[in-house]
Amino acid sequence: MIRVVLVDDQALVREGLRALLERTDDIVVAGEADGGDAGVRVVTETRPDVVLMDIRMPGTDGIAATRRIIGDPALSHVHVVVLTTFDTDDNVLDAIRAGAVGFLVKDTAPGDLRNAIRTVAGGDAMLSPTVTRRVMQAAARGAGARDTGQLDGLTNREREILAEVGLGLSNEGIGSKLFISPATVRTHVTRILTKLGARDRAGLVAIAFRTGLVTPEDR
């Protein structure tokens, strides 16, 4: 079972999410919280696989709470998915820097939400097309001169895979496109993360666009 904690200051949102998620045989809601501080406490107590985290909450917001969760070595297995309206690009980039690996807007279809939780629990990042596009545009605007030298340590195959990660493809999608196995893709992604000093796949998306390896026009 994939254990999920819901963190949102609106009770109605939490109730709706719980109802959607518990219609499956492989996902269970392990706890809820109505704010960032409470969310960190519940996550620490329940040790879930995935946290659905709202950004804008009174007091400690979702970005600060995500940073605290990701920064706790005892919670290294926990994956945070930010579920928000993403009103500004800063929210997206701040969430990436905090360590979130999933980004979904609140009007995401129920089936897509459940699949996103499965994807993140399996170790992949999950970015909705809208969020990916915002990351691309913000990275492109803030890039200035392209720092292509950051990619000098990558092989041609690793650059190829990084570009596909930048476009939001999963390991399975990359493997199908490049005619290699998902396990091989995962190995390459792990090496790329190490070489580039990135925390996760979401960080690789930002690097792919900051270096000009992928541009917004490639979507």
Side-chain angles (χ1 to χ4, degrees):
M1 295 289 287
I2 300 172
R3 302 174 68 251
V4 178
V5 164
L6 309 176
V7 184
D8 195 295
D9 61 320
Q10 298 183 44
L12 186 60
V13 171
R14 297 197 307 275
E15 290 175 11
L17 289 172
R18 178 183 284 274
L20 289 174
L21 297 180
E22 293 192 336
R23 292 177 185 171
T24 68
D25 295 328
D26 61 336
I27 299 174
V28 62
V29 175
E32 298 182 16
D34 61 1
D37 289 333
V40 174
R41 287 196 298 272
V42 172
V43 170
T44 301
E45 293 168 359
T46 62
R47 307 294 178 93
D49 302 295
V50 177
V51 180
L52 285 186
M53 179 77 72
D54 186 26
I55 283 186
R56 297 191 175 191
M57 297 180 288
T60 299
D61 64 18
I63 292 174
T66 295
R67 190 176 295 113
R68 286 167 57 186
I69 291 168
I70 298 302
D72 186 343
L75 302 175
S76 60
H77 67 288
V78 178
H79 306 288
V80 177
V81 175
V82 172
L83 187 63
T84 181
T85 53
F86 279 102
D87 294 327
T88 68
D89 292 333
D90 286 344
N91 282 338
V92 183
L93 298 179
D94 286 344
I96 289 175
R97 296 186 187 103
V101 296
F103 307 87
L104 294 171
V105 290
K106 284 189 174 179
D107 61 356
T108 298
D112 290 340
L113 173 62
R114 290 188 285 263
N115 286 336
I117 289 172
R118 296 182 182 108
T119 297
V120 169
D124 284 337
M126 181 67 201
L127 288 82
S128 71
T130 299
V131 171
T132 302
R133 188 160 50 250
R134 287 180 180 271
V135 173
M136 293 175 182
Q137 293 168 346
R141 285 198 299 272
R146 302 297 184 185
D147 181 18
T148 55
Q150 186 176 7
L151 306 181
D152 287 348
L154 301 185
T155 66
N156 288 337
R157 174 60 93 180
E158 288 168 348
R159 287 182 180 231
E160 190 175 23
I161 289 175
L162 175 59
E164 301 302 336
V165 171
L167 293 174
L169 271 67
S170 66
N171 288 345
E172 289 73 16
I174 296 172
S176 177
K177 185 173 182 178
L178 301 182
F179 302 104
I180 55 180
S181 71
T184 298
V185 175
R186 186 181 297 276
T187 297
H188 280 300
V189 170
T190 299
R191 290 174 180 167
I192 295 168
L193 286 166
T194 299
K195 288 184 177 182
L196 297 181
R199 183 197 300 267
D200 48 47
R201 291 173 74 106
L204 293 182
V205 172
I207 290 173
F209 283 86
R210 188 168 62 245
T211 59
L213 184 62
V214 181
T215 67
E217 290 74 24
D218 293 327
R219 280 298 290 180

